[in-house]
Amino acid sequence: MTKCKISEIDLLQKLLGETVAESSYRQIKADIIFGRLSPGQKLKLENLKAAYDTSVSTLREVLNRLTSEGLVIAEGQRGFEVAPVSEADLREIAALRLLLEEHALDQSFAQGGVEWEAALMAAHYKLARMEEVMASGDTSRAEDWKRYDWEFHQALISACGSRLLMETHSAVFDKYLRYQMVALSYRGSVAEAEHRQLLEAALARDSATAKTILQRHILDGVEHALTKHRL
């Protein structure tokens, strides 16, 4: 009986530890993507320990995980820092995002059903409402705007049938999103129109038109970000 109780406690502690690590990972990753941790910023473990209320060992685990995702750089004995940004890196990320998203669009448009259409329209509705807020000049909800942007593009490809493709696209989109947040790159009515056109093309199952719009949407977004913020 005693042995069983000890085993249960150990299991509970292990599960709790995993939850803390996952929570810290999500918080730090979000802070990097949304620019609260700046490109090139040193990530001192003692400072992070206080800020995120977690242990140094958990932080090392989290930062190593983010290093493998390219959002953090490990500097050997000198510790960790937020990955820097550059024009070349942004262009490479944008090209990879376009490659993945175009392929996923083809698959998703071919396989998506009524529930996919409903989810896509709901995602677009939320994005359109937040674009109205941004158009008014209120940037206080910029993070919500980009979260809904992410949700809309994920909804577009959500019927592609490949979990790996979705996960890979999501990881690349996160890196692309970080650049947009660094530049706070909002293209106004042009981007709004492109999102609406993507929705219409999806509902019509017109992947050729959707891919043309998507290419313009991403590449023009890159140029706009570069004019807003010199990398």
Side-chain angles (χ1 to χ4, degrees), residues 131-132 134-135 145 183-189 191-192 224 228:
E131 286 174 330
E132 290 176 5
M134 293 292 293
W145 158 56
L184 195 56
S185 179
Y186 177 63
R187 294 188 296 128
S189 60
E192 292 174 34
H224 187 264
K228 293 278 289 182

Side-chain angles (χ1 to χ4, degrees), residues 67-83:
T67 297
S68 71
E69 295 176 10
L71 292 171
V72 168
I73 292 177
E75 299 184 297
Q77 297 300 316
R78 293 182 295 172
F80 299 90
E81 70 174 39
V82 179

Side-chain angles (χ1 to χ4, degrees), residues 33-47:
I33 290 172
F34 288 107
R36 291 184 288 269
L37 294 172
S38 304
Q41 181 175 335
K42 302 294 183 183
L43 298 173
K44 298 184 182 299
L45 293 175
E46 286 304 318
N47 293 343

Side-chain angles (χ1 to χ4, degrees), residues 147-228:
R147 186 173 74 253
Y148 291 148
D149 188 14
W150 179 88
E151 288 179 3
F152 174 68
H153 283 276
Q154 284 288 98
L156 276 170
I157 65 172
S158 61
C160 70
S162 171
R163 180 184 57 80
L164 181 58
L165 178 55
M166 289 287 292
E167 289 176 352
T168 305
H169 172 269
S170 179
V172 172
F173 195 101
D174 284 344
K175 293 178 182 179
Y176 181 85
L177 172 56
R178 183 166 79 112
Y179 278 91
Q180 287 197 310
M181 293 307 299
V182 166
L184 195 56
S185 179
Y186 177 63
R187 294 188 296 128
S189 60
V190 174
E192 292 174 34
E194 289 167 351
H195 284 138
R196 185 172 60 254
Q197 291 161 5
L198 281 169
L199 173 65
E200 292 167 354
L203 296 177
R205 301 299 199 277
D206 185 351
S207 62
T209 296
K211 286 189 285 187
T212 298
I213 296 165
L214 181 67
Q215 184 175 43
R216 184 171 69 247
H217 182 68
I218 293 175
L219 298 183
D220 286 359
V222 168
E223 298 308 321
H224 187 264
L226 291 172
T227 61
K228 293 278 289 182

